[in-house]
Amino acid sequence: MLMQILKDVAVVSGISTLLAVVLIIAQKYLSDYGICKINLNKKRDVSVEGGSSLLNSLAEEQIFLPSACGGRGSCGTCKCKVNSGGGPLLPTEKPFLSKTELADNVRLACQVKVKSDMEINVPESIFNIRRFQAKVHEIIDYTYDIKGITLKLVSPDTIDFQAGQFVQIESQAYAKIKQKVVRAYSISSKPQDNDRIQLIIRLVPEGICTTWIHKYLEEGSDVTFTGPYGDFYIRDTEADIIFVAGGSGKAPMKSMLEDLQVKGTTRKMTYFFGARTAKDLYLTDEMRSFEQVFSDFKYEPVLSKPAPEDKWKGKTGFVMPYFQDAIRDPKNTEAYLCGSPGMINAVKKSLIAMGVPDDKIYYDSFG
Amino acid sequence: MEISSFVLFWAAIFTSNILLTNFLGMCSYLSVSKEIESSFGLGVAVAFVLTITSGLNWIVYHLILVPLGLVYLQFIVFIIVIAAFVQLLELLVERYTPALYYTLGIFLPLITVNCAIFGVSLFMVIRDYSFVQSMAFGAGSGIGWLLAILMLAGIRAKLKERLVPIGLQGAGISLIITGIMALAFIGFSGIVNVQ
């Protein structure tokens, strides 16, 4: 009986091992693409081991393209221009690329494999992106489901970013969750405090990363992130500004306003903050205090469904109907929006209807 | 079993089509039959893998499992062989024919879990086929599967412009179509019977 069991195990393991060995040998010879040279923006060459995805190969060279899904081809943010050596377009990339992008050789870096020398174009700003080790310095409860997390940088110990940009946090395994995920959050502190960043994070029910941040991070915990990413920052003009944020979308606005406070500005600015009830409001006094700082700034919280106990006397409903009073000259107005895709679409539509130019509406949308 | 390999090949395509008489390999059949182009790609990949794995599994079964008296391990061993072969094939195709890889490559992992492949290996054992018969039966079954998925994809392409009751859209109507196709294929069954 025992012999029989041993024999079974031996045969199955033997066959498996044999096949595994064949596969390993095949992999070694077949997937060896040697060292491939990737030319970036016709300026810089990096040499990488061929065979893995362009996204990962670049990350190994400390060049970080933004990627919210961690390379699974589901977010479409790791776009870059592949001029040569990318091979044909894959069915997995098609849904994420517009017609102009297709014509422009734009690809998803997580799907393109490095198999030969390549020539690619990436935005200059990504060379500034680094991977940071940091420690949690402070956690503030803003509302029942929104926390402000301050991270003190360990290495590198300073960060150079523009107010409004975001970073990507890498969550660690916790409790029953084994997988590590990467999620993007806007920086809410000002760029002048370059040894730390603050993030404002709302707890998403069942969210892997936000649950980790809300329930498992404490002061002193280690956090790894990459950044800064994004082109959501205040354009240096004299146009009037209208800010619209919802929920944790207050983060980039806080950074922008604090940055403007340091730099000084006389631009006319109105900030609409949309929330459901009074218990979703936070940092109200801080935002109001900017009305004293700037010559022409107004903070307008708007509650969509104020609870009876809120005794809310301010503005209610959607934010859009209140824009009319805030916009003097639509052609000379810039809009900065941050919130859910639904809110951004609605706000964008109403701004365009009022005559604000499409290319002056900047936004940072999160799902 | 005394049946010529040639007959077996044709029989596997028409009279005992692996999909339309045994209803094996349904998952990828239903999910990849939306477009003719991709269903053709998957079908060709299935046919190729079926032919080779039925030969490989015949060798493993008759030269390893039978002599050692371990026939009852056939399920687990067949699956391992199929999985390893598909993996190897993916590596080879990716390296030497990149163009083919981009059209077929994404389907290969799907094939590992295609029950038609496993089913053919089991039939070959139950029906006691010889090596050549097994290969013929594998190739025939693969082509039969390709034929079935191509037909469904063709019908579904026509169906796109037609109104289908909401409750039947997608898998529902596909299964009804498959049933009718299976009925039609019964018409072939008088020619030769290998079941």
Side-chain angles (χ1 to χ4, degrees), chain B residues 89-127:
Chain B
L89 187 68
E90 197 180 346
L91 286 172
L92 282 168
V93 172
E94 186 178 3
R95 182 75 215 228
Y96 293 110
T97 50
L100 190 67
Y101 179 75
Y102 290 112
T103 46
L104 286 193
I106 47 166
F107 300 119
L108 285 172
L110 266 181
I111 293 176
T112 319
V113 289
N114 188 326
C115 18
I117 314 255
F118 184 53
V120 165
S121 287
L122 291 181
F123 281 141
M124 142 202 114
V125 170
I126 296 168
R127 298 181 193 156

Side-chain angles (χ1 to χ4, degrees), chain A residues 6 14 27 34 57 59 82 100 111 133 176 207 253 273 313 316:
Chain A
L6 287 178
Q27 178 123 37
S57 303
V82 178
T100 21
Q111 301 297 306
Q133 304 294 333
K176 282 187 183 144
M253 311 306 178
F273 180 67
K313 295 200 184 63
T316 55

Side-chain angles (χ1 to χ4, degrees), chain A residues 13 21 25 42 137 146 157 173 185 192 234 241 256-257 356-357:
Chain A
S13 338
V21 169
I25 294 172
K42 300 214 168 77
H137 182 65
I146 296 180
D157 56 4
Y185 301 102
Q192 290 77 13
I234 300 270
I241 294 179
M256 288 170 169
L257 289 168
V356 178

